[in-house]
């Protein structure tokens, strides 16, 4: 679960805690369990398959396997939803890649690492790394015979600040050895450092050192987001930029003759409630970006996994209808969250930019040497850092309890109604996106 996907503010662990506070442990657990059940069921798999797609990447949180207060003890229901999703996909003929989307302590400072901090503590504590290796051993043991699991995406978007990426390489070595001691057959998918774009410090002998391994880039194109430098029109210059950025990300694999996979990519979309009559024209441009990226991938016979399948209406192939109990309940809250730009992903900060600008200016004017303003990760400028800390963490923290308060006094039947809003039957389809995906999925198979 992520904030822009499900509508809550902040991180998953925060809303789980807040909801337990409001409803009690048992009812909160009931809600999240029902949410996961409805989020992906057989009709979802059938729809996905109907587009001609044959593999889905399933993002999992390490907390499904291990409770932080009870380390190295496999949770009783650790595989309940993952087994369910993988077996539903297998039944309709879809392969799955298991993606470890969060690591203990956080493998990056992004909200999606579910750590609630901009410091990626995973790299600082051996203890956190040991835990994740142990979790992978449990997963490999569980799925080593499964024919429909295509492989293991060991760590989503690592961001190891070490200048030589030494801790990431050491962790991949450990995870590789541990998994391979149990399961030699499933492929491993290793993301590059710094949000799956940088392989420059990967070992020279990777091809032999890490057998049966693909290397995952995440190819988000700047033109697919509200902060695009200019409206995308598919000009030759713009297409060249798309291609060059992508080529740069995969250049290390190309030099070494290694297998590349695009594990995440895809534009976000405008919404009528926030973008008004601009919505359609913005989205037409976004579909153009999508298509032009697919042209590049198809020419290269590159396999990809679109981000993402389902959400509340920003990026998903299917999205929860506004007429559902969940969306009606949170209508005003979501609008406020949007206007305050509390989520980082594809943010639109027009209402609040000027409020945070003095902090940006203060930081810039207080640091004497300009080069000292460049901290890791490089794509977090001073502006971006201020955004992450003051809005997506500080502001979000205050909204977490508010989100949970909406549930106060609800019984299981009402919670079920809310969770069910995420079921395929209550979702709409993003036709523009699905049409393009279908077309390319079929052309790829020819
Ligand atoms: O969970 C996902 C999460 O995996 C994803 O993370 C972001 C991916 O994009 C990163 O920035 C890109 C880095 O490469 C440049 O070439 C692109 O232009 C940038 O967009 C960003 O820092 C990550 O947080 O985001 C969506 C989440 O739902």
């Amino acid at each position: 679960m992520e904030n822009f996907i499900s509508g809550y503010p902040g991180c998953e662990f925060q809303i789980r805690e807040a909801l337990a506070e409001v409803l009690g442990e048992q009812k909160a657990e009931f809600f999240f369990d029902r949410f996961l059940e409805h989020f992906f069921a057989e009709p979802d798999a059938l729809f996905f398959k109907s587009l001609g797609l044959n593999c889905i990447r399933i993002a999992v949180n390490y907390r499904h396997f291990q409770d932080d207060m009870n380390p190295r003890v496999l949770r009783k229901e650790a595989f309940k939803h993952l087994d369910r999703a993988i077996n539903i996909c297998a039944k309709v003929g879809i392969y799955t890649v298991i993606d470890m989307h969060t690591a203990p302590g956080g493998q990056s400072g992004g909200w999606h690492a579910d750590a609630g901090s901009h410091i990626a503590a995973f790299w600082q504590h051996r203890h956190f790394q040991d835990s994740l290796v142990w979790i992978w051993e449990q997963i490999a043991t569980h799925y080593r015979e499964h024919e429909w699991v295509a492989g293991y995406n060991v760590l989503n978007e690592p961001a190891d600040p070490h200048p030589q990426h030494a801790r990431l390489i050491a962790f991949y070595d450990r995870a590789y050895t541990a998994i391979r001691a149990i399961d030699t057959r499933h492929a491993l998918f290793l993301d590059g450092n710094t949000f799956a774009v940088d392989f420059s410090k990967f070992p020279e002998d990777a091809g032999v050192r890490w057998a049966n391994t693909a290397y995952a880039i995440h190819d988000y194109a700047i033109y697919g987001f509200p902060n695009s430098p200019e409206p995308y029109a598919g000009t030759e210059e713009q297409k060249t930029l798309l291609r060059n950025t992508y080529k740069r990300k995969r250049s290390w694999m190309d030099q070494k003759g290694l297998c590349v996979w695009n594990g995440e990519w895809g534009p976000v979309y405008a919404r009528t409630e926030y973008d008004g009559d601009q919505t359609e024209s913005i989205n037409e441009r976004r579909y153009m970006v999508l298509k032009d990226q697919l042209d590049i991938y198809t020419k290269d016979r590159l396999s990809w996994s679109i981000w993402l399948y389902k959400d509340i209406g920003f990026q998903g192939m299917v999205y929860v209808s506004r007429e559902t109990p969940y969306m009606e309940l949170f209508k005003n809250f979501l609008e406020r969250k949007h206007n305050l730009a509390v989520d980082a992903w594809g943010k639109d900060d027009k209402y609040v930019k000027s409020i945070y600008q003095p902090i940006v200016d203060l930081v810039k004017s207080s640091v004497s040497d300009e080069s000292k303003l460049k901290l890791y990760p490089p794509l977090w400028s001073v502006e971006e850092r201020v955004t992450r800390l003051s809005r997506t963490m500080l502001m979000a923290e205050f909204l977490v309890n508010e989100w949970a308060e909406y549930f106060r006094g609800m019984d299981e039947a009402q919670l079920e109604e809310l969770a069910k809003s995420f079921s395929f039957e209550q979702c709409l389809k993003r036709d523009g996106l699905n049409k393009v995906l279908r077309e390319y999925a079929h052309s790829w198979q020819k």
Side-chain angles (χ1 to χ4, degrees):
M1 294 187 279
E2 280 180 33
N3 47 36
F4 77 93
I5 298 175
S6 324
Y8 66 76
C11 291
E12 177 176 339
F13 84 93
Q14 294 174 300
I15 57 129
R16 281 183 177 267
E17 277 178 13
L19 200 62
E21 189 73 24
V22 166
L23 289 177
E25 295 268 344
Q26 219 178 324
K27 271 209 255 169
E29 194 39 49
F30 171 84
F31 171 74
F32 290 119
D33 185 63
R34 297 308 299 158
F35 170 90
L36 290 175
E37 185 85 23
H38 289 300
F39 197 88
F40 194 82
E42 194 164 329
D44 294 286
L46 286 168
F47 171 68
F48 194 84
K49 179 76 181 174
S50 75
L51 300 180
L53 302 171
N54 63 359
C55 185
I56 195 160
R57 176 173 177 259
I58 305 183
V60 296
N61 192 319
Y62 81 91
R63 290 188 175 91
H64 284 291
F65 305 95
Q66 176 191 276
D67 180 343
D68 287 327
M69 297 305 284
N70 200 11
R72 310 297 157 74
V73 176
L74 191 66
R75 277 184 188 268
K76 211 160 81 252
E77 303 211 309
F79 290 102
K80 176 180 172 185
H81 288 291
L82 192 54
D83 274 351
R84 197 179 54 78
I86 287 174
N87 292 332
I88 286 170
C89 288
K91 188 174 161 203
V92 307
I94 299 172
Y95 289 98
T96 40
V97 173
I98 302 169
D99 147 39
M100 187 55 66
H101 217 72
T102 79
Q107 74 276 26
S108 78
W111 72 96
H112 38 84
D114 195 24
S117 163
H118 69 298
I119 304 289
F122 178 76
W123 307 109
Q124 297 167 336
H125 297 262
R126 169 77 185 209
H127 217 60
F128 288 148
Q129 297 163 16
D130 292 349
S131 261
L132 193 57
V133 170
W134 178 83
I135 289 170
W136 270 116
E137 286 170 341
Q138 311 312 304
I139 299 175
T141 304
H142 193 81
Y143 290 114
R144 71 179 142 199
E145 302 299 339
H146 208 301
E147 291 180 349
W148 286 95
V149 172
Y152 310 134
N153 194 178
V154 175
L155 191 54
N156 180 60
E157 298 192 344
D160 170 15
H162 188 280
Q164 298 308 316
H165 309 179
R167 294 171 296 194
L168 173 62
I169 308 305
F171 174 72
Y172 277 164
D173 268 336
R174 288 191 65 202
Y176 177 86
T177 307
I179 294 171
R180 286 290 176 244
I182 297 164
D183 179 346
T184 49
R185 292 189 303 168
H186 283 108
L188 299 192
F189 297 85
L190 300 182
D191 285 18
N193 200 23
T194 317
F195 306 104
V197 300
D198 185 358
F199 298 82
S200 61
K201 305 290 188 299
F202 273 41
E204 281 298 309
D205 63 348
V208 283
R209 180 163 163 168
W210 297 329
N212 192 14
T213 294
Y215 296 84
I217 59 168
H218 286 184
D219 194 28
Y220 288 104
I222 184 80
Y223 294 124
F225 290 81
N227 64 345
S228 172
E230 61 197 350
Y232 190 72
T235 65
E236 279 318 307
E237 290 76 32
Q238 290 174 328
K239 284 189 193 170
T240 303
L241 190 99
L242 279 187
R243 171 163 270 279
N244 288 348
T245 320
Y246 150 78
K247 279 279 178 204
R248 203 174 322 122
K249 288 177 193 168
R250 59 174 292 165
S251 62
W252 178 82
M253 285 76 94
D254 288 339
Q255 282 160 25
K256 302 267 177 287
L258 296 171
C259 179
V260 191
W261 181 55
N262 185 5
E264 265 185 39
W265 68 288
V268 298
Y269 298 96
R271 293 160 285 192
T272 42
E273 63 270 40
Y274 307 131
D275 304 286
D277 53 15
Q278 303 269 305
T279 304
E280 217 173 297
S281 63
I282 294 174
N283 288 346
E284 282 314 313
R285 291 181 192 281
R286 301 280 164 83
Y287 296 136
M288 224 194 302
V289 178
L290 183 84
K291 236 171 160 323
D292 289 346
Q293 286 188 276
L294 278 166
D295 272 338
I296 296 171
Y297 305 155
T298 307
K299 217 180 266 164
D300 280 6
R301 303 288 293 167
L302 175 78
S303 291
W304 44 262
S305 177
I306 189 85
W307 191 256
L308 80 157
Y309 172 62
K310 186 186 280 182
D311 69 357
I312 58 167
F314 193 38
Q315 193 167 22
M317 293 162 61
V318 303
Y319 57 98
V320 181
S321 153
R322 275 181 224 121
E323 267 96 66
T324 53
Y326 185 87
M327 292 304 276
E328 278 172 3
L329 180 67
F330 284 104
K331 186 169 184 271
N332 296 336
F333 180 83
L334 287 172
E335 188 182 336
R336 242 168 6 101
K337 187 158 85 97
H338 172 264
N339 294 348
L340 290 165
V342 176
D343 299 342
W345 196 229
K347 66 179 180 293
D348 174 355
D349 60 0
K350 61 174 172 286
Y351 298 114
V352 289
K353 196 174 167 57
S354 61
I355 296 169
Y356 294 96
Q357 192 58 41
I359 309 178
V360 175
D361 296 339
L362 177 68
V363 174
K364 285 188 173 169
S365 62
S366 309
V367 177
S368 50
D369 178 351
E370 212 179 302
S371 70
K372 298 277 184 302
L373 288 170
K374 295 193 177 85
L375 303 178
Y376 184 87
L379 43 102
W380 285 18
S381 59
V382 176
E383 283 80 0
E384 185 60 21
R385 248 186 146 75
V386 169
T387 288
R388 298 293 180 132
L389 272 81
S390 56
R391 301 211 295 262
T392 74
M393 291 172 201
L394 178 68
M395 193 68 211
E397 203 176 8
F398 287 99
L399 294 182
V400 166
N401 291 335
E402 211 179 295
W403 179 86
E405 278 301 327
Y406 279 85
F407 293 79
R408 191 170 288 285
M410 289 194 182
D411 60 21
E412 287 196 352
Q414 290 167 301
L415 296 172
E416 168 67 15
E417 277 308 296
L418 288 185
K420 208 173 173 186
S421 304
F422 285 82
S423 65
F424 182 77
E425 292 75 10
Q426 302 204 32
C427 283
L428 303 175
K429 301 184 184 75
R430 188 170 291 289
D431 294 330
L433 166 62
N434 297 325
K435 183 169 167 277
V436 176
L437 294 183
R438 184 198 298 268
E439 192 183 313
Y440 279 84
H442 286 285
S443 74
W444 215 95
Q445 283 158 14
K446 273 183 206 148

